[in-house]
Amino acid sequence: MPTTSQPHRRIRRRTYAFLASAAALATAGALAAALPAQAHNDQAADALAGRYQDVQLLSFNDLHGNLEPPSGSSGRITELQPDGTTKTIDAGGVEYLATHLRQARQGHAYSITAAGGDMVGASPLLSGLFHDEPTIEALNKLDLDVTSVGNHEFDEGAKELARLQNGGCHPTDGCYSDQGFAGADFPYLAANVLDEKTGKPILKPYWVWKKKDVKIGFIGVTLEGTPDIVSADGVKGLTFKDEVETIDKYAKVLQDQGVKSIVALIHEGGFPASSSYNYDCDSPGGGDGISGPIVDIARHVTPAVDALVTGHTHAAYACTIADPSGRPRMVTSAASFGRLYTDTTLTYDRRTGDIARTAVKSANRVVTRNVAKAPDMTQLIDRWNTLAAPIGNRPIGYISADITNTGTESPMGDLIADAQLAYGKELDAGTDLALMNPGGVRAGLTYAAKGAEGDGVVTYAEGFTVQPFANTVNLQDFTGAQLVQVLKEQVSGANAAAPKILQPSAGLTYTLDLTRSGADRVVTDSIRLDGAPIDPAATYRVATNSFLAGGGDGFPTLGQGTGDLVGTDDLAALEKYLTANSSAGDPITPPATDRITVVQ
């Protein structure tokens, strides 16, 4: 495993000497104001003499192969207005992301573009149908310099991830063009993902960006709990280590190599108190407006790390959270699906080789759709769409209105659960109910046509975007006591801090009382199936996807079922349900989402 990194092999054709000099003067002024008074004059003079160099760090995360503009709520960003109201903005699409990033780089001779994982996986059909080769090609054109792995990079296993990094045709589906597939020309970093046999990282643990005398190291990790949220086949033979311990280890390695400026790319995130991308999560104090796993990580990662680029939770924030020494440190995330990018200024001190933390600035920027599309991205999308069109444009059903993927119980989640119950009954007439994990519902269905199919028509491509994982629909037997335990695992155990509310099929009802704590939030006496209380001693036939059937997403009891029966893939079950239960004259209406009664 290489322990040093070479400069990025692509040559950027951007020279902005005059503008870079102006930026250096601005940096000098900012540092002169920020540094202690007794050092004010000397430090400002040093800056003017070239001691300090602004380095632009552009970052994004959780793209999930969304090359075309995401539709519905997945393609909107909420903006907080000065008067306290909010407005929504249509955002996303790599044709626009490319334009925004290229415009942002203008005037910056020192610019890095980094990402926080989940660039691929759970992708729309345009990318997912071709094992995400289109997204890797797009990221190459975006001039991405480096990214961490995310949990979804393991959806098809470590060998497929290595192919995306190194290139080569897919081992089953072959090549999609005469040119083959070259792979990513940026490094994927996987410092805390080890091969069980060798004990070494499966990909590079870190990478060093260099320009003249400026050096910045990047360490990439994904969440330690990746095996809990990825299929067992995807992580077979791998060990996922603690994020903080791993980052601290490689920060020391970088320091020993003379690299003092370090950025951690962490595929783990937090939850800001507001969904608005420009919410001030440093109010009233640093990091006071954010919660979740990243807060604890940020508070414990070595002070040698100067900034944290994060992801996974699909949230937007730019906060300062104190490191173990009490010094503020920037922690950022740019929502998901290419709707935002983060623009961070890292001021490099040539005398120390470190980042001047007091001068770090960061803000999220909206990838609006009111700019010109990048022609090279349009060409890329058109080329892959031509290959995908015969499959993707096929109608599979009809809807009367948007079927959204929002809320504790979502209409889309209910629809999928109903589809899996109907399919389960075809396999075994004794199937009683179905449960769907919310993370497996990747989008809703929009009534407005995306192409020439017409309003209300659901295409295969749209169905693929909703359920891209190719899980199977499995049947298992559980006692009533086990079924109650499953429902309580939504809000306890691994899911205590961040509940995962399973989407129930029609007939299963219960109360979720959020005023209570732990497992008691699921009110046992309220659980009913077709109006009858659950009998702890009875046996119930339950349909789930194969991921849940293996105990995934923090539901160990679902891994203890008996009488396993494996069916078709979940998208085929959804397609079959839509086709059988809708027509142009009689479309499906959104489910009422009245199966879970939430008390707050």
Side-chain angles (χ1 to χ4, degrees), residues 94 170 209 356 539:
V94 294
H170 190 271
W209 181 88
T539 298

Side-chain angles (χ1 to χ4, degrees), residues 70-78 89-91 336-337 339 402-406 443-444 446:
S71 60
S73 59
S74 298
R76 302 188 189 105
I77 280 292
T78 301
I89 304 170
D90 290 337
S336 60
F337 306 152
R339 295 173 293 166
D402 288 353
I403 300 181
T404 62
N405 184 33
T406 56
T446 55

Side-chain angles (χ1 to χ4, degrees), residues 279-345:
Y279 164 71
D280 181 8
C281 50
D282 281 340
S283 177
D288 286 344
I290 187 172
S291 61
I294 198 60
V295 176
D296 185 62
I297 291 173
R299 288 174 177 166
H300 288 89
V301 163
T302 172
V305 173
D306 298 294
L308 280 61
V309 173
T310 74
H312 186 56
T313 57
H314 293 198
Y317 47 84
C319 306
T320 54
I321 300 175
D323 68 17
S325 70
R327 297 171 61 208
R329 176 166 54 192
M330 190 62 68
V331 181
T332 68
S333 175
S336 60
F337 306 152
R339 295 173 293 166
L340 296 177
Y341 70 92
T342 310
D343 191 342
T344 301
T345 300

Side-chain angles (χ1 to χ4, degrees), residues 346-363:
L346 302 174
T347 300
Y348 185 88
D349 185 341
R350 287 188 168 93
R351 177 182 292 181
T352 65
D354 208 346
I355 299 298
R357 291 259 198 101
T358 54
V360 173
K361 298 175 294 183
S362 188

Side-chain angles (χ1 to χ4, degrees), residues 54-118:
D54 273 356
V55 178
Q56 180 190 59
L57 174 62
L58 303 176
S59 58
F60 55 96
N61 50 275
D62 296 275
L63 181 64
H64 290 290
N66 279 265
L67 303 183
E68 296 179 294
S71 60
S73 59
S74 298
R76 302 188 189 105
I77 280 292
T78 301
E79 182 177 69
L80 185 64
Q81 302 299 292
D83 62 1
T85 61
T86 61
K87 76 172 183 179
T88 58
I89 304 170
D90 290 337
V94 294
E95 294 162 296
Y96 303 107
L97 177 60
T99 297
H100 280 279
L101 291 178
R102 290 163 185 173
Q103 290 177 347
R105 293 181 187 126
Q106 293 179 13
H108 296 274
Y110 291 73
S111 183
I112 311 167
T113 303
D118 275 7

Side-chain angles (χ1 to χ4, degrees), residues 141-158:
K141 291 179 180 293
L142 283 176
D143 283 335
L144 181 64
D145 287 298
V146 62
T147 183
S148 68
V149 294
N151 55 285
H152 280 287
E153 264 80 20
F154 295 94
D155 284 348
E156 295 189 48

Side-chain angles (χ1 to χ4, degrees), residues 99-331:
T99 297
H100 280 279
L101 291 178
R102 290 163 185 173
Q103 290 177 347
R105 293 181 187 126
Q106 293 179 13
H108 296 274
Y110 291 73
S111 183
I112 311 167
T113 303
D118 275 7
M119 295 296 97
V120 300
S123 306
L125 181 134
L126 177 61
S127 185
L129 185 63
F130 306 105
H131 301 283
D132 284 310
E133 290 183 21
T135 295
I136 297 299
E137 288 188 4
L139 293 171
N140 289 343
K141 291 179 180 293
L142 283 176
D143 283 335
L144 181 64
D145 287 298
V146 62
T147 183
S148 68
V149 294
N151 55 285
H152 280 287
E153 264 80 20
F154 295 94
D155 284 348
E156 295 189 48
K159 288 184 178 180
E160 175 62 6
L161 172 58
R163 187 184 75 87
L164 293 181
Q165 176 70 89
N166 301 317
C169 299
H170 190 271
T172 301
D173 294 342
C175 296
Y176 300 111
S177 72
D178 294 338
Q179 290 75 37
F181 175 59
D185 63 6
F186 52 87
Y188 263 111
L189 304 182
N192 69 329
V193 186
L194 311 184
D195 184 299
E196 287 182 350
K197 293 181 179 179
T198 66
K200 296 180 180 180
I202 62 169
L203 294 170
K204 289 182 179 181
Y206 62 85
W207 176 80
V208 180
W209 181 88
K210 300 176 183 178
K211 182 161 186 176
K212 296 183 180 178
D213 57 347
V214 176
K215 295 186 295 183
I216 299 178
F218 290 82
I219 302 166
V221 299
T222 187
L223 68 157
E224 184 183 8
T226 291
D228 297 328
I229 55 176
V230 173
S231 69
D233 286 343
V235 295
K236 187 177 182 180
L238 304 178
T239 300
F240 291 76
K241 306 298 286 186
D242 180 81
E243 303 94 334
V244 173
E245 292 178 4
T246 302
I247 293 169
D248 287 1
K249 171 185 176 179
Y250 286 106
K252 180 65 166 58
V253 171
L254 285 167
Q255 288 180 308
D256 290 345
Q257 294 179 8
V259 180
K260 308 301 182 185
S261 297
I262 303 171
V263 175
L265 307 176
I266 307 173
H267 192 71
E268 179 60 289
F271 304 96
S274 168
S275 60
S276 297
Y277 83 90
N278 56 339
Y279 164 71
D280 181 8
C281 50
D282 281 340
S283 177
D288 286 344
I290 187 172
S291 61
I294 198 60
V295 176
D296 185 62
I297 291 173
R299 288 174 177 166
H300 288 89
V301 163
T302 172
V305 173
D306 298 294
L308 280 61
V309 173
T310 74
H312 186 56
T313 57
H314 293 198
Y317 47 84
C319 306
T320 54
I321 300 175
D323 68 17
S325 70
R327 297 171 61 208
R329 176 166 54 192
M330 190 62 68
V331 181

